[in-house]
Amino acid sequence: MIWLLENLGTLLVSAAIILVVALIICYLVRKKKSGKSSCGCGCSSCSMNCHCHQEKQ
């Protein structure tokens, strides 16, 4: 119990950081599944355009 009280600040900050990272990952996964780009710029000038948006046959 004493260890928990001595490290409460570290544990709370760590939990907050883990929560923020998890929320960012969930956001990026949802964005990717909906077909939106993660870079935020146009795909016409992107060198990876042929890898991201392959034509469906």
Side-chain angles (χ1 to χ4, degrees):
M1 184 70 171
I2 293 173
W3 180 86
L4 185 64
L5 293 174
E6 289 176 350
N7 295 306
L8 186 60
T10 302
L11 294 171
L12 289 175
V13 170
S14 299
I17 290 173
I18 290 171
L19 178 65
V20 168
V21 170
L23 289 173
I24 290 170
I25 291 171
C26 289
Y27 171 74
L28 291 174
V29 167
R30 276 193 222 131
K31 196 172 176 182
K32 179 74 174 178
K33 284 184 179 180
S34 69
K36 296 180 181 176
S37 174
S38 61
C39 65
C41 59
C43 291
S44 61
S45 62
C46 180
S47 62
M48 296 297 287
N49 185 17
C50 61
H51 297 289
C52 292
H53 304 287
Q54 296 176 353
E55 293 182 27
K56 295 181 181 177
Q57 295 180 356

Tab-separated table of all heavy atoms in Angstrom:
chain	number	residue	atom	x	y	z
A	1	MET	N	0.816	-1.196	0.000
A	1	MET	CA	0.000	0.000	0.000
A	1	MET	C	0.861	1.262	0.000
A	1	MET	O	0.512	2.227	-0.657
A	1	MET	CB	-0.932	-0.047	1.217
A	1	MET	CG	-1.896	1.089	1.277
A	1	MET	SD	-3.105	0.901	-0.034
A	1	MET	CE	-4.243	2.138	0.386
A	2	ILE	N	1.955	1.215	0.745
A	2	ILE	CA	2.845	2.379	0.802
A	2	ILE	C	3.476	2.623	-0.563
A	2	ILE	O	3.575	3.765	-1.014
A	2	ILE	CB	3.925	2.177	1.888
A	2	ILE	CG1	3.265	2.159	3.268
A	2	ILE	CG2	4.964	3.272	1.820
A	2	ILE	CD1	4.212	1.793	4.380
A	3	TRP	N	3.868	1.537	-1.254
A	3	TRP	CA	4.470	1.679	-2.581
A	3	TRP	C	3.494	2.355	-3.529
A	3	TRP	O	3.877	3.211	-4.322
A	3	TRP	CB	4.874	0.307	-3.119
A	3	TRP	CG	5.487	0.393	-4.479
A	3	TRP	CD1	6.782	0.618	-4.770
A	3	TRP	CD2	4.798	0.291	-5.741
A	3	TRP	NE1	6.964	0.653	-6.124
A	3	TRP	CE2	5.755	0.452	-6.751
A	3	TRP	CE3	3.484	0.073	-6.112
A	3	TRP	CZ2	5.442	0.409	-8.094
A	3	TRP	CZ3	3.167	0.033	-7.454
A	3	TRP	CH2	4.146	0.196	-8.430
A	4	LEU	N	2.231	1.957	-3.458
A	4	LEU	CA	1.206	2.530	-4.326
A	4	LEU	C	1.058	4.030	-4.072
A	4	LEU	O	0.978	4.819	-5.011
A	4	LEU	CB	-0.130	1.817	-4.099
A	4	LEU	CG	-1.272	2.212	-5.020
A	4	LEU	CD1	-0.936	1.836	-6.456
A	4	LEU	CD2	-2.548	1.536	-4.596
A	5	LEU	N	1.031	4.429	-2.814
A	5	LEU	CA	0.900	5.849	-2.484
A	5	LEU	C	2.134	6.643	-2.888
A	5	LEU	O	2.016	7.793	-3.333
A	5	LEU	CB	0.628	6.016	-0.986
A	5	LEU	CG	-0.725	5.488	-0.502
A	5	LEU	CD1	-0.814	5.582	1.011
A	5	LEU	CD2	-1.859	6.230	-1.166
A	6	GLU	N	3.306	6.050	-2.752
A	6	GLU	CA	4.531	6.746	-3.128
A	6	GLU	C	4.650	6.938	-4.632
A	6	GLU	O	5.283	7.876	-5.095
A	6	GLU	CB	5.747	5.975	-2.612
A	6	GLU	CG	5.919	6.028	-1.113
A	6	GLU	CD	7.069	5.168	-0.620
A	6	GLU	OE1	7.610	4.372	-1.430
A	6	GLU	OE2	7.423	5.282	0.562
A	7	ASN	N	4.056	6.064	-5.402
A	7	ASN	CA	4.168	6.109	-6.867
A	7	ASN	C	2.861	6.485	-7.553
A	7	ASN	O	2.705	6.270	-8.752
A	7	ASN	CB	4.646	4.755	-7.386
A	7	ASN	CG	6.039	4.443	-6.921
A	7	ASN	OD1	6.949	5.230	-7.115
A	7	ASN	ND2	6.195	3.315	-6.250
A	8	LEU	N	1.937	7.055	-6.815
A	8	LEU	CA	0.628	7.379	-7.367
A	8	LEU	C	0.730	8.369	-8.530
A	8	LEU	O	0.070	8.192	-9.558
A	8	LEU	CB	-0.279	7.946	-6.270
A	8	LEU	CG	-1.729	8.187	-6.666
A	8	LEU	CD1	-2.373	6.882	-7.111
A	8	LEU	CD2	-2.496	8.790	-5.520
A	9	GLY	N	1.559	9.384	-8.413
A	9	GLY	CA	1.713	10.364	-9.491
A	9	GLY	C	2.231	9.739	-10.771
A	9	GLY	O	1.707	9.990	-11.857
A	10	THR	N	3.233	8.891	-10.627
A	10	THR	CA	3.798	8.210	-11.793
A	10	THR	C	2.773	7.288	-12.433
A	10	THR	O	2.656	7.225	-13.665
A	10	THR	CB	5.043	7.399	-11.380
A	10	THR	OG1	5.983	8.289	-10.791
A	10	THR	CG2	5.668	6.710	-12.566
A	11	LEU	N	2.023	6.586	-11.613
A	11	LEU	CA	1.011	5.670	-12.140
A	11	LEU	C	-0.104	6.420	-12.860
A	11	LEU	O	-0.564	5.987	-13.928
A	11	LEU	CB	0.433	4.814	-11.011
A	11	LEU	CG	1.405	3.829	-10.369
A	11	LEU	CD1	0.787	3.197	-9.137
A	11	LEU	CD2	1.832	2.771	-11.367
A	12	LEU	N	-0.527	7.544	-12.328
A	12	LEU	CA	-1.584	8.324	-12.974
A	12	LEU	C	-1.119	8.925	-14.299
A	12	LEU	O	-1.853	8.894	-15.296
A	12	LEU	CB	-2.073	9.426	-12.039
A	12	LEU	CG	-2.880	8.957	-10.830
A	12	LEU	CD1	-3.204	10.135	-9.920
A	12	LEU	CD2	-4.144	8.248	-11.265
A	13	VAL	N	0.096	9.452	-14.326
A	13	VAL	CA	0.628	10.012	-15.568
A	13	VAL	C	0.807	8.911	-16.613
A	13	VAL	O	0.457	9.092	-17.786
A	13	VAL	CB	1.954	10.761	-15.314
A	13	VAL	CG1	2.640	11.123	-16.612
A	13	VAL	CG2	1.709	11.996	-14.467
A	14	SER	N	1.297	7.766	-16.204
A	14	SER	CA	1.469	6.634	-17.130
A	14	SER	C	0.134	6.169	-17.684
A	14	SER	O	0.004	5.895	-18.882
A	14	SER	CB	2.165	5.477	-16.428
A	14	SER	OG	3.437	5.861	-15.985
A	15	ALA	N	-0.875	6.080	-16.816
A	15	ALA	CA	-2.209	5.675	-17.271
A	15	ALA	C	-2.784	6.686	-18.253
A	15	ALA	O	-3.405	6.296	-19.254
A	15	ALA	CB	-3.135	5.500	-16.072
A	16	ALA	N	-2.570	7.967	-18.006
A	16	ALA	CA	-3.067	8.999	-18.912
A	16	ALA	C	-2.384	8.915	-20.272
A	16	ALA	O	-3.037	9.028	-21.318
A	16	ALA	CB	-2.859	10.380	-18.294
A	17	ILE	N	-1.083	8.689	-20.273
A	17	ILE	CA	-0.343	8.581	-21.537
A	17	ILE	C	-0.800	7.345	-22.310
A	17	ILE	O	-1.011	7.405	-23.528
A	17	ILE	CB	1.175	8.557	-21.278
A	17	ILE	CG1	1.634	9.931	-20.795
A	17	ILE	CG2	1.942	8.142	-22.532
A	17	ILE	CD1	3.069	9.983	-20.342
A	18	ILE	N	-0.976	6.232	-21.622
A	18	ILE	CA	-1.443	5.005	-22.279
A	18	ILE	C	-2.836	5.221	-22.861
A	18	ILE	O	-3.128	4.780	-23.984
A	18	ILE	CB	-1.416	3.818	-21.292
A	18	ILE	CG1	0.032	3.447	-20.988
A	18	ILE	CG2	-2.185	2.627	-21.836
A	18	ILE	CD1	0.200	2.449	-19.869
A	19	LEU	N	-3.702	5.915	-22.144
A	19	LEU	CA	-5.050	6.196	-22.637
A	19	LEU	C	-5.010	7.072	-23.887
A	19	LEU	O	-5.705	6.787	-24.871
A	19	LEU	CB	-5.877	6.873	-21.549
A	19	LEU	CG	-7.292	7.272	-21.942
A	19	LEU	CD1	-8.131	6.038	-22.251
A	19	LEU	CD2	-7.928	8.084	-20.846
A	20	VAL	N	-4.190	8.094	-23.886
A	20	VAL	CA	-4.086	8.989	-25.047
A	20	VAL	C	-3.558	8.229	-26.263
A	20	VAL	O	-4.088	8.362	-27.370
A	20	VAL	CB	-3.202	10.213	-24.718
A	20	VAL	CG1	-2.842	10.992	-25.974
A	20	VAL	CG2	-3.889	11.104	-23.711
A	21	VAL	N	-2.543	7.404	-26.076
A	21	VAL	CA	-1.990	6.617	-27.183
A	21	VAL	C	-3.038	5.646	-27.721
A	21	VAL	O	-3.196	5.488	-28.941
A	21	VAL	CB	-0.698	5.888	-26.747
A	21	VAL	CG1	-0.249	4.889	-27.790
A	21	VAL	CG2	0.402	6.896	-26.466
A	22	ALA	N	-3.786	4.996	-26.850
A	22	ALA	CA	-4.831	4.068	-27.287
A	22	ALA	C	-5.918	4.796	-28.075
A	22	ALA	O	-6.396	4.281	-29.103
A	22	ALA	CB	-5.429	3.350	-26.084
A	23	LEU	N	-6.310	5.981	-27.637
A	23	LEU	CA	-7.316	6.750	-28.358
A	23	LEU	C	-6.811	7.184	-29.733
A	23	LEU	O	-7.564	7.157	-30.713
A	23	LEU	CB	-7.734	7.970	-27.536
A	23	LEU	CG	-8.560	7.672	-26.289
A	23	LEU	CD1	-8.769	8.944	-25.476
A	23	LEU	CD2	-9.882	7.039	-26.649
A	24	ILE	N	-5.551	7.560	-29.828
A	24	ILE	CA	-4.974	7.948	-31.119
A	24	ILE	C	-4.945	6.757	-32.066
A	24	ILE	O	-5.295	6.877	-33.245
A	24	ILE	CB	-3.566	8.539	-30.930
A	24	ILE	CG1	-3.657	9.900	-30.249
A	24	ILE	CG2	-2.827	8.658	-32.264
A	24	ILE	CD1	-2.329	10.468	-29.809
A	25	ILE	N	-4.567	5.592	-31.567
A	25	ILE	CA	-4.534	4.393	-32.403
A	25	ILE	C	-5.934	4.039	-32.882
A	25	ILE	O	-6.133	3.725	-34.063
A	25	ILE	CB	-3.877	3.224	-31.653
A	25	ILE	CG1	-2.375	3.505	-31.473
A	25	ILE	CG2	-4.099	1.904	-32.376
A	25	ILE	CD1	-1.665	2.522	-30.571
A	26	CYS	N	-6.927	4.103	-31.995
A	26	CYS	CA	-8.316	3.828	-32.404
A	26	CYS	C	-8.783	4.806	-33.470
A	26	CYS	O	-9.433	4.411	-34.444
A	26	CYS	CB	-9.236	3.885	-31.197
A	26	CYS	SG	-9.038	2.510	-30.064
A	27	TYR	N	-8.436	6.068	-33.311
A	27	TYR	CA	-8.806	7.088	-34.290
A	27	TYR	C	-8.183	6.791	-35.654
A	27	TYR	O	-8.851	6.862	-36.685
A	27	TYR	CB	-8.371	8.468	-33.782
A	27	TYR	CG	-8.516	9.572	-34.799
A	27	TYR	CD1	-9.766	10.073	-35.116
A	27	TYR	CD2	-7.404	10.103	-35.448
A	27	TYR	CE1	-9.902	11.089	-36.053
A	27	TYR	CE2	-7.532	11.102	-36.378
A	27	TYR	CZ	-8.783	11.596	-36.682
A	27	TYR	OH	-8.919	12.588	-37.611
A	28	LEU	N	-6.908	6.435	-35.667
A	28	LEU	CA	-6.234	6.150	-36.931
A	28	LEU	C	-6.781	4.892	-37.593
A	28	LEU	O	-6.909	4.840	-38.822
A	28	LEU	CB	-4.728	6.020	-36.696
A	28	LEU	CG	-4.006	7.310	-36.313
A	28	LEU	CD1	-2.549	7.026	-35.966
A	28	LEU	CD2	-4.111	8.335	-37.411
A	29	VAL	N	-7.123	3.877	-36.811
A	29	VAL	CA	-7.688	2.649	-37.377
A	29	VAL	C	-9.050	2.939	-37.996
A	29	VAL	O	-9.343	2.496	-39.108
A	29	VAL	CB	-7.782	1.546	-36.294
A	29	VAL	CG1	-8.638	0.388	-36.760
A	29	VAL	CG2	-6.396	1.065	-35.906
A	30	ARG	N	-9.893	3.701	-37.306
A	30	ARG	CA	-11.207	4.054	-37.860
A	30	ARG	C	-11.067	4.868	-39.138
A	30	ARG	O	-11.803	4.666	-40.103
A	30	ARG	CB	-12.009	4.850	-36.842
A	30	ARG	CG	-12.730	3.997	-35.872
A	30	ARG	CD	-13.750	4.809	-35.102
A	30	ARG	NE	-13.677	4.374	-33.718
A	30	ARG	CZ	-13.590	5.149	-32.678
A	30	ARG	NH1	-13.584	6.445	-32.822
A	30	ARG	NH2	-13.516	4.657	-31.470
A	31	LYS	N	-10.120	5.795	-39.145
A	31	LYS	CA	-9.892	6.634	-40.319
A	31	LYS	C	-9.418	5.793	-41.499
A	31	LYS	O	-9.844	5.996	-42.621
A	31	LYS	CB	-8.869	7.711	-39.961
A	31	LYS	CG	-8.803	8.855	-40.899
A	31	LYS	CD	-7.903	9.933	-40.334
A	31	LYS	CE	-7.745	11.047	-41.313
A	31	LYS	NZ	-6.838	12.080	-40.829
A	32	LYS	N	-8.529	4.836	-41.236
A	32	LYS	CA	-8.018	3.964	-42.289
A	32	LYS	C	-9.123	3.074	-42.841
A	32	LYS	O	-9.237	2.879	-44.048
A	32	LYS	CB	-6.870	3.114	-41.718
A	32	LYS	CG	-6.265	2.157	-42.686
A	32	LYS	CD	-5.411	2.863	-43.687
A	32	LYS	CE	-4.702	1.850	-44.556
A	32	LYS	NZ	-3.905	2.464	-45.576
A	33	LYS	N	-9.983	2.536	-41.959
A	33	LYS	CA	-11.077	1.670	-42.410
A	33	LYS	C	-12.103	2.421	-43.244
A	33	LYS	O	-12.743	1.847	-44.117
A	33	LYS	CB	-11.767	1.025	-41.210
A	33	LYS	CG	-10.975	-0.104	-40.613
A	33	LYS	CD	-11.733	-0.768	-39.485
A	33	LYS	CE	-10.949	-1.918	-38.913
A	33	LYS	NZ	-11.658	-2.584	-37.811
A	34	SER	N	-12.261	3.723	-42.979
A	34	SER	CA	-13.222	4.505	-43.748
A	34	SER	C	-12.643	4.975	-45.078
A	34	SER	O	-13.336	5.600	-45.868
A	34	SER	CB	-13.709	5.704	-42.933
A	34	SER	OG	-12.679	6.646	-42.768
A	35	GLY	N	-11.358	4.687	-45.311
A	35	GLY	CA	-10.746	5.014	-46.592
A	35	GLY	C	-10.122	6.388	-46.661
A	35	GLY	O	-9.709	6.831	-47.726
A	36	LYS	N	-10.054	7.071	-45.553
A	36	LYS	CA	-9.461	8.404	-45.555
A	36	LYS	C	-7.951	8.298	-45.409
A	36	LYS	O	-7.437	7.382	-44.805
A	36	LYS	CB	-10.044	9.246	-44.435
A	36	LYS	CG	-11.516	9.502	-44.615
A	36	LYS	CD	-12.058	10.337	-43.510
A	36	LYS	CE	-13.550	10.557	-43.703
A	36	LYS	NZ	-14.122	11.301	-42.589
A	37	SER	N	-7.265	9.279	-45.948
A	37	SER	CA	-5.814	9.303	-45.890
A	37	SER	C	-5.352	9.750	-44.511
A	37	SER	O	-5.968	10.594	-43.873
A	37	SER	CB	-5.270	10.258	-46.946
A	37	SER	OG	-3.886	10.401	-46.802
A	38	SER	N	-4.248	9.206	-44.055
A	38	SER	CA	-3.728	9.601	-42.748
A	38	SER	C	-2.732	10.748	-42.847
A	38	SER	O	-2.375	11.336	-41.844
A	38	SER	CB	-3.054	8.410	-42.077
A	38	SER	OG	-1.972	7.960	-42.857
A	39	CYS	N	-2.281	11.079	-44.058
A	39	CYS	CA	-1.280	12.132	-44.180
A	39	CYS	C	-1.903	13.517	-44.271
A	39	CYS	O	-1.261	14.502	-43.959
A	39	CYS	CB	-0.369	11.879	-45.377
A	39	CYS	SG	-1.210	11.972	-46.958
A	40	GLY	N	-3.129	13.639	-44.750
A	40	GLY	CA	-3.808	14.921	-44.800
A	40	GLY	C	-3.552	15.724	-46.057
A	40	GLY	O	-4.081	16.814	-46.210
A	41	CYS	N	-2.721	15.222	-46.959
A	41	CYS	CA	-2.469	15.964	-48.194
A	41	CYS	C	-3.052	15.195	-49.373
A	41	CYS	O	-3.517	14.088	-49.236
A	41	CYS	CB	-0.974	16.188	-48.370
A	41	CYS	SG	-0.019	14.671	-48.444
A	42	GLY	N	-2.992	15.790	-50.531
A	42	GLY	CA	-3.536	15.159	-51.720
A	42	GLY	C	-2.706	13.975	-52.169
A	42	GLY	O	-1.500	13.922	-51.969
A	43	CYS	N	-3.349	13.000	-52.779
A	43	CYS	CA	-2.651	11.787	-53.194
A	43	CYS	C	-1.993	11.927	-54.565
A	43	CYS	O	-1.161	11.094	-54.928
A	43	CYS	CB	-3.622	10.611	-53.206
A	43	CYS	SG	-4.161	10.130	-51.564
A	44	SER	N	-2.341	12.955	-55.329
A	44	SER	CA	-1.810	13.071	-56.681
A	44	SER	C	-0.295	13.283	-56.696
A	44	SER	O	0.386	12.823	-57.607
A	44	SER	CB	-2.501	14.209	-57.426
A	44	SER	OG	-2.259	15.431	-56.754
A	45	SER	N	0.238	13.935	-55.695
A	45	SER	CA	1.676	14.189	-55.672
A	45	SER	C	2.437	13.229	-54.761
A	45	SER	O	3.635	13.384	-54.570
A	45	SER	CB	1.936	15.623	-55.227
A	45	SER	OG	1.446	15.799	-53.912
A	46	CYS	N	1.748	12.253	-54.220
A	46	CYS	CA	2.365	11.313	-53.278
A	46	CYS	C	3.081	10.201	-54.040
A	46	CYS	O	2.531	9.614	-54.971
A	46	CYS	CB	1.308	10.714	-52.357
A	46	CYS	SG	1.957	9.539	-51.161
A	47	SER	N	4.316	9.897	-53.635
A	47	SER	CA	5.071	8.845	-54.313
A	47	SER	C	4.563	7.446	-53.959
A	47	SER	O	4.864	6.486	-54.646
A	47	SER	CB	6.551	8.962	-53.955
A	47	SER	OG	6.719	8.780	-52.567
A	48	MET	N	3.796	7.321	-52.896
A	48	MET	CA	3.263	6.023	-52.474
A	48	MET	C	1.819	5.820	-52.933
A	48	MET	O	1.142	4.912	-52.477
A	48	MET	CB	3.335	5.901	-50.949
A	48	MET	CG	4.746	5.920	-50.396
A	48	MET	SD	5.743	4.537	-50.962
A	48	MET	CE	5.009	3.224	-50.026
A	49	ASN	N	1.328	6.642	-53.840
A	49	ASN	CA	-0.057	6.592	-54.297
A	49	ASN	C	-0.422	5.220	-54.854
A	49	ASN	O	-1.493	4.706	-54.581
A	49	ASN	CB	-0.304	7.675	-55.346
A	49	ASN	CG	-1.745	7.752	-55.752
A	49	ASN	OD1	-2.630	7.257	-55.082
A	49	ASN	ND2	-2.002	8.398	-56.866
A	50	CYS	N	0.486	4.608	-55.606
A	50	CYS	CA	0.160	3.315	-56.212
A	50	CYS	C	0.071	2.211	-55.164
A	50	CYS	O	-0.570	1.194	-55.398
A	50	CYS	CB	1.189	2.959	-57.274
A	50	CYS	SG	2.864	2.794	-56.640
A	51	HIS	N	0.669	2.383	-54.002
A	51	HIS	CA	0.616	1.380	-52.956
A	51	HIS	C	-0.603	1.565	-52.050
A	51	HIS	O	-1.162	0.596	-51.546
A	51	HIS	CB	1.887	1.407	-52.101
A	51	HIS	CG	3.106	1.074	-52.892
A	51	HIS	ND1	3.372	-0.185	-53.369
A	51	HIS	CD2	4.138	1.845	-53.307
A	51	HIS	CE1	4.501	-0.179	-54.030
A	51	HIS	NE2	5.000	1.057	-54.019
A	52	CYS	N	-1.008	2.793	-51.840
A	52	CYS	CA	-2.160	3.071	-50.959
A	52	CYS	C	-3.481	2.797	-51.657
A	52	CYS	O	-4.398	2.264	-51.060
A	52	CYS	CB	-2.142	4.524	-50.510
A	52	CYS	SG	-0.783	4.920	-49.413
A	53	HIS	N	-3.577	3.196	-52.904
A	53	HIS	CA	-4.852	3.133	-53.627
A	53	HIS	C	-4.707	2.251	-54.863
A	53	HIS	O	-4.772	2.721	-55.988
A	53	HIS	CB	-5.287	4.542	-54.038
A	53	HIS	CG	-5.394	5.478	-52.890
A	53	HIS	ND1	-6.413	5.418	-51.965
A	53	HIS	CD2	-4.595	6.492	-52.469
A	53	HIS	CE1	-6.243	6.349	-51.056
A	53	HIS	NE2	-5.138	7.015	-51.327
A	54	GLN	N	-4.521	0.983	-54.622
A	54	GLN	CA	-4.410	0.059	-55.751
A	54	GLN	C	-5.765	-0.085	-56.418
A	54	GLN	O	-6.796	-0.129	-55.757
A	54	GLN	CB	-3.885	-1.295	-55.283
A	54	GLN	CG	-2.489	-1.227	-54.727
A	54	GLN	CD	-2.032	-2.563	-54.182
A	54	GLN	OE1	-2.788	-3.496	-54.098
A	54	GLN	NE2	-0.769	-2.618	-53.809
A	55	GLU	N	-5.736	-0.190	-57.744
A	55	GLU	CA	-6.992	-0.332	-58.474
A	55	GLU	C	-7.591	-1.711	-58.220
A	55	GLU	O	-6.894	-2.715	-58.187
A	55	GLU	CB	-6.750	-0.146	-59.972
A	55	GLU	CG	-6.350	1.259	-60.326
A	55	GLU	CD	-6.163	1.416	-61.821
A	55	GLU	OE1	-6.809	0.660	-62.585
A	55	GLU	OE2	-5.407	2.295	-62.224
A	56	LYS	N	-8.913	-1.734	-58.027
A	56	LYS	CA	-9.594	-3.017	-57.807
A	56	LYS	C	-9.892	-3.643	-59.150
A	56	LYS	O	-10.347	-2.991	-60.079
A	56	LYS	CB	-10.891	-2.781	-57.028
A	56	LYS	CG	-10.626	-2.261	-55.629
A	56	LYS	CD	-11.909	-2.057	-54.875
A	56	LYS	CE	-11.606	-1.514	-53.509
A	56	LYS	NZ	-12.819	-1.217	-52.743
A	57	GLN	N	-9.608	-4.922	-59.240
A	57	GLN	CA	-9.831	-5.613	-60.519
A	57	GLN	C	-11.088	-6.425	-60.481
A	57	GLN	O	-11.515	-6.941	-59.552
A	57	GLN	CB	-8.642	-6.516	-60.821
A	57	GLN	CG	-7.389	-5.728	-61.038
A	57	GLN	CD	-6.198	-6.639	-61.343
A	57	GLN	OE1	-6.300	-7.850	-61.312
A	57	GLN	NE2	-5.079	-6.028	-61.605
